[in-house]
Amino acid sequence: MTRIVLPRAVRRVLVSTVGVGVLFTAVMGFAHTPSGRPLLKWMGMSMPQAASAAGCPLGYDVKQSPEQKEAARMRFAASYRGESPALARPALGFDLEQTTRESLLAWARAHGVKCSVPRSQGDLDCEEVPAELFPGLNRQAAIRNLWVTFGADDRLVALVAVSRAVEPAPISATFRAANATLATLAGPPMKQDGDGSVEELRQGLLRQASAEYRFQDFYALTRVTNMGDGFVLTEEYRALPKVAARELPSR
């Protein structure tokens, strides 16, 4: 029996926000690469069967149009919008719906951060971002990947930051600092599981802690995971589209 080992890039995606949906998409994406062909075979599929002239049947290799991205934002907001507006919308020091693509790229160049256009996971992927570039946020872990998404007007609408460390201490400290910033500036979390302490994270493979923040105009999620060979922190910050009062969730 062939042993399947997912690469680090895929394992990073597995701990992001959307749970099973992201897991399936990430595995399918990996399966469509040469290294993932044994996995595709194990799933009962071959490359010719899984692909067509239009590419991946799941759309994994297709870049979304501005209209498709906005429709996806609206669907996400419909499912995850909270009742009250956030006091503020902290996003690693960037201004949601204000920071432009040009200004973010200028920031990256000024600090020697490399940003490229990925096939998926947003409009930009900025790699190896030092913790020192976020003064006042008490971060101890650098950001391995910062996935950035812009709206139709080229202004920032979402950030996903992935940090990784061999030891749990810097990841735990950064997780707690991120949640302290969110709770103070935006408001309390809607849901929190675990405290993300070093002791908790050391309890075993895939041990997690998370906090989710839902507001009318802002969504955030922090999640820390023991990956067995290291510890990963995923942070997500999203501006939610404005809607009419009649469309707001009621309890």
Side-chain angles (χ1 to χ4, degrees), residues 7-242:
R8 291 182 179 179
V10 173
R11 282 183 285 159
R12 287 200 298 267
V13 176
L14 299 190
V15 296
S16 64
T17 177
V18 196
V20 174
V22 170
L23 171 63
F24 181 72
T25 302
V27 170
M28 285 299 293
F30 171 61
H32 282 68
T33 67
S35 300
R37 287 179 184 175
L39 178 60
L40 203 62
K41 183 177 180 180
W42 175 77
M43 294 168 68
M45 303 171 68
S46 67
M47 289 298 287
Q49 290 171 329
S52 67
C56 173
L58 295 180
Y60 183 83
D61 56 351
V62 177
K63 203 71 173 175
Q64 287 186 316
S65 69
E67 294 77 16
Q68 288 172 322
K69 287 197 297 182
E70 188 61 23
R73 286 186 69 209
M74 295 298 292
R75 290 193 299 270
F76 183 92
S79 297
Y80 293 97
R81 191 186 302 279
E83 296 181 37
S84 305
L87 299 175
R89 300 190 295 181
L92 299 176
F94 299 103
D95 294 323
L96 291 172
E97 298 185 306
Q98 296 298 319
T99 298
T100 64
R101 185 191 301 259
E102 182 180 351
S103 62
L104 193 145
L105 285 171
W107 169 86
R109 287 192 298 269
H111 294 95
V113 174
K114 179 184 176 183
C115 296
S116 59
V117 178
R119 293 182 63 183
S120 61
Q121 294 294 337
D123 297 315
L124 290 176
D125 178 6
C126 300
E127 302 178 47
E128 306 298 342
V129 186
E132 294 75 18
L133 295 187
F134 305 98
L137 299 184
N138 298 316
R139 301 182 67 88
Q140 294 187 23
I143 294 175
R144 178 73 63 88
N145 292 87
L146 181 64
W147 290 313
V148 186
T149 302
F150 299 97
D153 59 357
D154 247 8
R155 294 182 185 274
L156 178 66
V157 295
L159 289 174
V160 176
V162 180
S163 304
R164 184 181 179 92
V166 174
E167 296 298 327
I171 293 294
S172 173
T174 304
F175 171 76
R176 290 181 162 192
N179 285 310
T181 297
L182 282 163
T184 300
L185 298 182
M190 184 205 74
K191 180 181 179 182
Q192 185 162 355
D193 295 316
D195 62 6
S197 66
V198 170
E199 294 74 21
E200 181 180 40
L201 295 177
R202 286 191 185 278
Q203 289 179 13
L205 178 65
L206 299 184
R207 184 70 183 188
Q208 286 191 333
S210 63
E212 186 179 26
Y213 302 78
R214 296 190 185 189
F215 302 95
Q216 284 181 11
D217 54 353
F218 179 58
Y219 176 87
L221 176 73
T222 60
R223 176 178 289 129
V224 63
T225 307
N226 180 337
M227 299 297 290
D229 61 349
F231 299 83
V232 172
L233 167 64
T234 303
E235 303 164 71
E236 182 169 352
Y237 306 91
R238 291 179 181 265
L240 300 186
K242 294 180 176 62

